[in-house]
Amino acid sequence: MSGLSIRGFTYMFLIAYLVWCSNFESCIARRSKHWRHSRSTSASEFKKKGKNYSNSHNHHGGGSKPKPPTHKSTPTLPKAPPHKSTPSSPPIPKPKVGTPSTPPPDVDNGGHSTIFNVLDFGAKGDGSTDDTKAFQATWVAACKVEASTMLIPTDYIFYVGPISFSGPYCKPNIVFQLDGTIIAPTNSNAWGGGLLQWLEFTKLVGITIQGNGVIDGRGSVWWQDQPFDEPIDDEEKLIVPLNHTVKPPLPIQSETGRKMPSIKPTALRFYGSFNPTVTGITIQNSPQCHLKFDNCNGVLVHDVSVSSPGDSPNTDGIHLQNSKDVLIHSSKLACGDDCISIQTGCSNVYVHNVNCGPGHGISIGSLGKDNTRACVSNITIRDVNMHNTMNGVRIKTWQGGSGSVQGILFSNIQVSEVQLPIVIDQFYCDKRTCTNQSSAVSLEGINYERIRGTYTVKPVHFACSDSLPCVDVSLTSVELKPVQEQYHMYDPFCWQTYGELRTPTVPPIPCLQIGKPSSNRIQTDHDLC
């Protein structure tokens, strides 16, 4: 009985054990199957998320790569071929075919060079090969990168035709690094019927031209073809040689005999730009004006040299029009016309520490030509040396114009053998004769202080409008002594000029009328700016 009980109990225990084991394995199997299903799902989801993450954060190879929960993926170096990843690992993006290992410069520069050398774009720099297209291609590349540098290297001479380095879609603060020499074409085919400028920079922000290079306009081929009716400087009429002879007129040349177009280009022109800077360079022998700023704000010019013969026609050094907030200093200007000419639309102009000569001095104007309206204000010219120039400091306006010139200071001007040191000419005319007209650009608040040195024709020439005289003209510490050369000399001249002698002058200027004109026509809104 007892034996049967023991055997029966053992048998029952064995059956129960087998049943329990069967249930346990099923449970384990179910759990194992569920775990595999969950991992598979997670891996699938990770592949999708990992792919999206990689595309959105691994631009240019940057960003960290996410890892699967239990597998380590082998990292891929930027220049190494992609490794094969295990099936459970997220795919690693492969580099695109043809993608350079070093990306080109971009807006953020990417740590790469932003210097664009014209030699790398096909320029030869041998002085005879036309490098215009290479310069244009270099500019297109530099234009796309903020604060880039377009390099014109030293020891090369680049033959470049008329070209425009233009915005308005260029990045700001581009540097035009001029260390070599740029020369202009001297054959008429390159200019067509004539152009107003040779090298032009338009609608740019923060453009800088710097370096110790040269811009050579090679203008002699234009000057020798000067037509007989070329505009003259009106003050030439005041200069009479002692032998009573005048300069012989240039011969009239036929169209077939003229080598170059009648329209002469400016060598370097800026238009519609903010904060343009020119420094260090030399501009020489321009066919016409050397450096021009038109519709610009925040102009800076310093340590610049302008060089052309004193008899080269209409070769102004620096020409300003419709430009505001201008600073010009520490420069040498030698040319055949005004060293600096300030035209209508200019205000807040400050010029100091400039050497001028040869040339026609520093001029405001001419203004009001062809009955136009002219507005110039807040101009300071100081600490200037002038040697062997036609004029010193001058204001010139046409009869028939309107508008105003006001707030002008000429201070500490040293003149040496200057024909006409101080000039106001409201009867300006660049032809042999002009029609008399009654309206005029008004002049008010013109101040001269510490104008000293020597003259060869006339110390002061004030020729103001009958209908709208000059008012508030002041002179302080003016000392001008005659030097007899080859010209007739004259005493100071004043016409319809009112103001004040704040100190005695040398020579005396008794013709200046004290106060204001009693019959002065009341200025209207049409006169003022």
Coordinates of all heavy atoms in Angstrom, one line a residue, residues 338-397:
D338 N 40.1 120.8 -62.4 CA 40.0 120.9 -61.0 C 40.6 119.7 -60.3 O 40.3 118.6 -60.6 CB 38.5 121.0 -60.6 CG 37.9 122.3 -61.2 OD1 38.6 123.3 -61.3 OD2 36.7 122.3 -61.5
C339 N 41.4 120.0 -59.3 CA 41.9 118.9 -58.4 C 40.7 118.2 -57.8 O 40.6 116.9 -57.8 CB 42.8 119.4 -57.4 SG 44.4 120.0 -58.0
I340 N 39.8 118.9 -57.3 CA 38.5 118.4 -56.7 C 37.4 119.3 -57.2 O 37.5 120.5 -57.1 CB 38.5 118.3 -55.2 CG1 39.6 117.4 -54.7 CG2 37.1 117.9 -54.7 CD1 39.8 117.4 -53.2
S341 N 36.3 118.7 -57.8 CA 35.2 119.5 -58.2 C 34.0 119.0 -57.5 O 33.7 117.7 -57.5 CB 35.0 119.4 -59.8 OG 34.8 118.1 -60.2
I342 N 33.2 119.9 -56.9 CA 32.0 119.5 -56.1 C 30.8 120.1 -56.8 O 30.6 121.3 -57.0 CB 32.1 120.1 -54.7 CG1 33.4 119.5 -54.0 CG2 30.9 119.7 -53.9 CD1 33.8 120.2 -52.7
Q343 N 29.9 119.2 -57.3 CA 28.8 119.5 -58.1 C 27.5 119.5 -57.3 O 27.5 119.3 -56.1 CB 28.7 118.6 -59.3 CG 29.9 118.6 -60.2 CD 30.0 119.9 -61.0 OE1 29.1 120.5 -61.3 NE2 31.3 120.2 -61.4
T344 N 26.4 119.7 -58.0 CA 25.1 119.8 -57.4 C 24.8 118.5 -56.6 O 25.2 117.4 -57.0 CB 24.0 120.1 -58.4 OG1 22.8 120.3 -57.7 CG2 23.9 119.0 -59.4
G345 N 24.0 118.7 -55.6 CA 23.5 117.6 -54.8 C 24.5 117.1 -53.7 O 24.3 116.1 -53.1
C346 N 25.6 117.8 -53.5 CA 26.6 117.4 -52.5 C 26.4 118.1 -51.2 O 26.1 119.4 -51.2 CB 28.0 117.7 -53.1 SG 28.5 116.6 -54.4
S347 N 26.5 117.4 -50.1 CA 26.5 118.0 -48.8 C 27.3 117.2 -47.8 O 27.6 116.1 -48.1 CB 25.0 118.1 -48.3 OG 24.5 116.8 -48.1
N348 N 27.8 117.9 -46.8 CA 28.6 117.3 -45.8 C 29.9 116.7 -46.4 O 30.2 115.5 -46.3 CB 27.9 116.2 -45.0 CG 26.6 116.7 -44.3 OD1 26.6 117.9 -43.9 ND2 25.6 115.9 -44.1
V349 N 30.6 117.6 -47.0 CA 31.9 117.2 -47.7 C 33.0 117.8 -46.9 O 33.0 119.0 -46.6 CB 31.9 117.7 -49.1 CG1 33.3 117.4 -49.8 CG2 30.8 117.0 -50.0
Y350 N 34.0 117.0 -46.5 CA 35.1 117.5 -45.7 C 36.4 117.1 -46.4 O 36.7 115.9 -46.6 CB 35.1 116.9 -44.3 CG 36.1 117.4 -43.3 CD1 36.6 118.7 -43.4 CD2 36.7 116.5 -42.4 CE1 37.5 119.2 -42.5 CE2 37.6 117.0 -41.5 CZ 38.1 118.3 -41.5 OH 39.0 118.7 -40.7
V351 N 37.2 118.0 -46.8 CA 38.5 117.8 -47.5 C 39.6 118.4 -46.7 O 39.5 119.6 -46.3 CB 38.5 118.4 -48.9 CG1 39.8 118.2 -49.6 CG2 37.4 117.8 -49.8
H352 N 40.7 117.6 -46.4 CA 41.8 118.2 -45.7 C 43.1 117.5 -46.0 O 43.1 116.3 -46.5 CB 41.5 118.2 -44.2 CG 41.6 116.8 -43.5 ND1 42.7 116.3 -43.0 CD2 40.6 115.9 -43.4 CE1 42.4 115.1 -42.5 NE2 41.2 114.8 -42.7
N353 N 44.2 118.2 -45.8 CA 45.5 117.6 -46.0 C 45.7 117.1 -47.4 O 46.0 115.9 -47.6 CB 45.8 116.5 -45.0 CG 46.0 117.1 -43.6 OD1 45.0 117.0 -42.8 ND2 47.1 117.7 -43.3
V354 N 45.4 117.9 -48.4 CA 45.5 117.6 -49.8 C 46.5 118.5 -50.5 O 46.6 119.7 -50.2 CB 44.2 117.7 -50.5 CG1 44.3 117.6 -52.0 CG2 43.2 116.6 -50.0
N355 N 47.4 117.9 -51.4 CA 48.3 118.7 -52.2 C 47.7 118.8 -53.6 O 47.3 117.7 -54.2 CB 49.6 118.1 -52.3 CG 50.4 118.2 -51.0 OD1 50.2 119.2 -50.2 ND2 51.3 117.3 -50.7
C356 N 47.6 120.0 -54.1 CA 46.9 120.2 -55.4 C 47.9 120.9 -56.4 O 48.3 122.0 -56.0 CB 45.6 120.9 -55.3 SG 44.8 121.5 -56.8
G357 N 48.2 120.4 -57.5 CA 49.0 121.1 -58.5 C 49.8 120.1 -59.3 O 50.4 119.2 -58.8
P358 N 49.9 120.4 -60.6 CA 49.2 121.4 -61.4 C 47.7 121.1 -61.4 O 47.3 120.0 -61.1 CB 49.8 121.4 -62.7 CG 50.3 120.0 -62.9 CD 50.7 119.5 -61.5
G359 N 46.9 122.1 -61.9 CA 45.5 121.9 -62.0 C 44.8 123.2 -61.9 O 45.4 124.3 -62.0
H360 N 43.5 123.2 -61.7 CA 42.7 124.4 -61.7 C 42.2 124.7 -60.3 O 41.2 125.4 -60.1 CB 41.5 124.3 -62.7 CG 41.9 124.4 -64.1 ND1 41.0 124.5 -65.1 CD2 43.2 124.3 -64.7 CE1 41.7 124.5 -66.3 NE2 43.0 124.4 -66.0
G361 N 42.8 124.0 -59.3 CA 42.4 124.3 -57.9 C 41.2 123.4 -57.4 O 40.9 122.4 -58.0
I362 N 40.6 123.8 -56.4 CA 39.4 123.1 -55.8 C 38.2 124.0 -56.1 O 38.1 125.1 -55.7 CB 39.6 122.8 -54.3 CG1 40.8 121.8 -54.1 CG2 38.3 122.2 -53.7 CD1 41.0 121.5 -52.7
S363 N 37.2 123.4 -56.7 CA 36.0 124.2 -57.2 C 34.7 123.6 -56.7 O 34.5 122.4 -56.7 CB 36.0 124.3 -58.7 OG 37.1 125.0 -59.2
I364 N 33.8 124.5 -56.3 CA 32.4 124.1 -56.2 C 31.7 124.6 -57.4 O 31.6 125.8 -57.7 CB 31.8 124.8 -54.9 CG1 32.5 124.3 -53.6 CG2 30.3 124.5 -54.8 CD1 32.1 125.0 -52.4
G365 N 31.2 123.7 -58.2 CA 30.6 124.0 -59.5 C 31.4 123.4 -60.6 O 32.3 122.7 -60.4
S366 N 30.9 123.7 -61.9 CA 29.9 124.8 -62.1 C 28.5 124.3 -61.8 O 28.2 123.1 -62.0 CB 30.0 125.2 -63.6 OG 29.8 124.1 -64.5
L367 N 27.6 125.2 -61.4 CA 26.3 124.9 -61.0 C 25.3 125.7 -61.8 O 25.5 126.8 -62.2 CB 26.1 125.2 -59.5 CG 27.1 124.6 -58.5 CD1 26.9 125.2 -57.1 CD2 27.0 123.1 -58.5
G368 N 24.1 125.1 -62.0 CA 23.0 125.8 -62.7 C 23.0 125.9 -64.2 O 22.3 126.7 -64.7
K369 N 23.8 125.1 -64.8 CA 23.9 125.1 -66.3 C 22.6 124.8 -66.9 O 21.9 123.9 -66.4 CB 25.0 124.2 -66.8 CG 25.3 124.3 -68.3 CD 26.4 123.5 -68.7 CE 26.7 123.6 -70.2 NZ 27.9 122.9 -70.6
D370 N 22.2 125.4 -68.0 CA 21.0 125.1 -68.7 C 19.8 125.3 -67.9 O 18.8 124.5 -67.9 CB 21.0 123.7 -69.4 CG 22.1 123.6 -70.4 OD1 22.4 124.6 -71.1 OD2 22.7 122.5 -70.5
N371 N 19.8 126.3 -67.0 CA 18.6 126.7 -66.1 C 18.2 125.6 -65.2 O 17.1 125.4 -64.8 CB 17.4 127.1 -67.0 CG 17.7 128.2 -68.0 OD1 17.9 128.0 -69.2 ND2 17.9 129.4 -67.5
T372 N 19.2 124.8 -64.7 CA 18.9 123.8 -63.8 C 19.0 124.3 -62.3 O 19.6 125.3 -62.0 CB 19.9 122.6 -64.0 OG1 21.3 123.1 -63.8 CG2 19.7 122.0 -65.3
R373 N 18.5 123.4 -61.4 CA 18.5 123.8 -60.0 C 19.7 123.1 -59.4 O 19.9 121.9 -59.6 CB 17.2 123.3 -59.4 CG 17.0 123.5 -57.9 CD 15.7 123.0 -57.4 NE 15.5 123.1 -56.0 CZ 15.0 124.2 -55.4 NH1 14.7 125.2 -56.1 NH2 14.9 124.3 -54.1
A374 N 20.4 123.8 -58.5 CA 21.6 123.2 -57.9 C 21.6 123.5 -56.4 O 21.2 124.6 -56.0 CB 22.9 123.9 -58.5
C375 N 22.0 122.5 -55.6 CA 22.0 122.6 -54.2 C 23.3 122.0 -53.6 O 23.6 120.8 -53.8 CB 20.8 121.8 -53.6 SG 19.2 122.4 -54.1
V376 N 24.0 122.8 -52.9 CA 25.3 122.4 -52.3 C 25.4 123.1 -50.9 O 25.1 124.3 -50.8 CB 26.5 122.9 -53.1 CG1 27.8 122.5 -52.4 CG2 26.5 122.2 -54.5
S377 N 25.7 122.3 -49.9 CA 25.8 122.8 -48.5 C 26.8 122.1 -47.7 O 27.1 120.9 -47.9 CB 24.4 122.7 -47.9 OG 24.0 121.4 -47.8
N378 N 27.2 122.8 -46.6 CA 28.1 122.2 -45.6 C 29.4 121.6 -46.2 O 29.6 120.4 -46.2 CB 27.3 121.2 -44.8 CG 28.1 120.9 -43.5 OD1 29.0 121.6 -43.0 ND2 27.8 119.7 -42.9
I379 N 30.2 122.5 -46.8 CA 31.4 122.1 -47.4 C 32.6 122.7 -46.7 O 32.6 123.9 -46.5 CB 31.5 122.5 -48.9 CG1 30.2 122.1 -49.7 CG2 32.7 121.9 -49.6 CD1 29.9 120.6 -49.8
T380 N 33.6 121.9 -46.3 CA 34.8 122.3 -45.6 C 36.0 121.9 -46.4 O 36.2 120.7 -46.6 CB 34.9 121.8 -44.2 OG1 33.8 122.3 -43.4 CG2 36.2 122.3 -43.5
I381 N 36.8 122.9 -46.8 CA 38.1 122.6 -47.5 C 39.2 123.3 -46.6 O 39.2 124.5 -46.4 CB 38.1 123.2 -48.9 CG1 36.8 122.9 -49.7 CG2 39.4 122.8 -49.6 CD1 36.7 121.4 -50.0
R382 N 40.1 122.5 -46.0 CA 41.1 123.0 -45.1 C 42.4 122.3 -45.2 O 42.5 121.1 -45.7 CB 40.6 123.0 -43.7 CG 40.4 121.7 -43.1 CD 39.8 121.8 -41.7 NE 40.5 122.8 -40.9 CZ 40.0 123.6 -39.9 NH1 38.7 123.4 -39.7 NH2 40.7 124.4 -39.3
D383 N 43.5 123.0 -44.8 CA 44.8 122.4 -44.7 C 45.2 121.8 -46.1 O 45.5 120.7 -46.2 CB 44.8 121.3 -43.7 CG 44.4 121.8 -42.3 OD1 44.6 122.9 -42.0 OD2 43.8 121.0 -41.6
V384 N 45.2 122.7 -47.1 CA 45.5 122.3 -48.5 C 46.7 123.2 -49.0 O 46.8 124.4 -48.7 CB 44.2 122.6 -49.4 CG1 44.6 122.3 -50.8 CG2 43.1 121.6 -48.9
N385 N 47.6 122.5 -49.7 CA 48.7 123.2 -50.4 C 48.4 123.2 -51.9 O 48.1 122.1 -52.4 CB 50.0 122.5 -50.1 CG 50.4 122.6 -48.7 OD1 50.3 123.7 -48.0 ND2 51.0 121.6 -48.1
M386 N 48.5 124.4 -52.5 CA 48.3 124.5 -53.9 C 49.6 125.1 -54.5 O 50.0 126.2 -54.1 CB 47.1 125.3 -54.2 CG 45.8 124.7 -53.8 SD 44.4 125.6 -54.3 CE 43.1 124.6 -53.6
H387 N 50.1 124.5 -55.6 CA 51.3 125.0 -56.3 C 51.1 125.0 -57.8 O 50.6 124.0 -58.3 CB 52.5 124.2 -55.9 CG 53.7 124.7 -56.7 ND1 54.4 125.9 -56.4 CD2 54.4 124.1 -57.7 CE1 55.4 126.0 -57.2 NE2 55.5 124.9 -58.0
N388 N 51.3 126.2 -58.4 CA 51.2 126.3 -59.8 C 49.9 125.9 -60.4 O 49.8 125.2 -61.4 CB 52.4 125.5 -60.5 CG 52.6 125.8 -61.9 OD1 52.3 127.0 -62.4 ND2 53.1 124.9 -62.7
T389 N 48.8 126.4 -59.8 CA 47.5 126.1 -60.3 C 46.8 127.3 -60.8 O 47.3 128.5 -60.6 CB 46.6 125.5 -59.1 OG1 46.5 126.5 -58.1 CG2 47.1 124.2 -58.6
M390 N 45.8 127.2 -61.7 CA 45.1 128.3 -62.2 C 44.4 129.0 -61.1 O 44.5 130.3 -61.0 CB 44.2 127.9 -63.3 CG 43.3 129.0 -63.9 SD 42.1 128.5 -65.1 CE 43.1 128.0 -66.4
N391 N 43.5 128.3 -60.4 CA 42.7 128.9 -59.3 C 43.2 128.2 -58.0 O 43.8 127.2 -58.0 CB 41.2 128.6 -59.5 CG 40.8 129.1 -60.9 OD1 40.7 130.3 -61.1 ND2 40.5 128.1 -61.7
G392 N 42.8 128.9 -56.9 CA 42.9 128.3 -55.6 C 41.6 127.7 -55.2 O 41.4 126.5 -55.5
V393 N 40.8 128.4 -54.5 CA 39.5 127.9 -54.1 C 38.4 128.8 -54.8 O 38.5 130.0 -54.8 CB 39.3 128.0 -52.5 CG1 40.1 127.0 -51.9 CG2 39.6 129.4 -52.0
R394 N 37.5 128.1 -55.5 CA 36.6 128.7 -56.4 C 35.2 128.2 -56.3 O 34.9 127.0 -56.0 CB 37.1 128.5 -57.8 CG 36.2 129.0 -58.9 CD 36.8 128.9 -60.3 NE 37.2 127.6 -60.7 CZ 37.5 127.2 -62.0 NH1 37.4 128.1 -62.9 NH2 37.8 126.0 -62.2
I395 N 34.2 129.1 -56.5 CA 32.8 128.8 -56.6 C 32.4 129.3 -58.0 O 32.6 130.5 -58.3 CB 31.9 129.4 -55.5 CG1 32.4 128.9 -54.2 CG2 30.5 129.0 -55.7 CD1 31.7 129.5 -53.0
K396 N 31.8 128.5 -58.8 CA 31.4 128.9 -60.2 C 29.9 128.5 -60.5 O 29.6 127.3 -60.3 CB 32.3 128.4 -61.2 CG 32.7 126.9 -61.1 CD 33.7 126.5 -62.2 CE 34.0 125.0 -62.1 NZ 35.0 124.6 -63.1
T397 N 29.1 129.4 -60.9 CA 27.7 129.2 -61.2 C 27.4 129.8 -62.6 O 28.0 130.8 -62.9 CB 26.7 129.6 -60.1 OG1 26.7 131.1 -60.1 CG2 27.1 129.1 -58.8

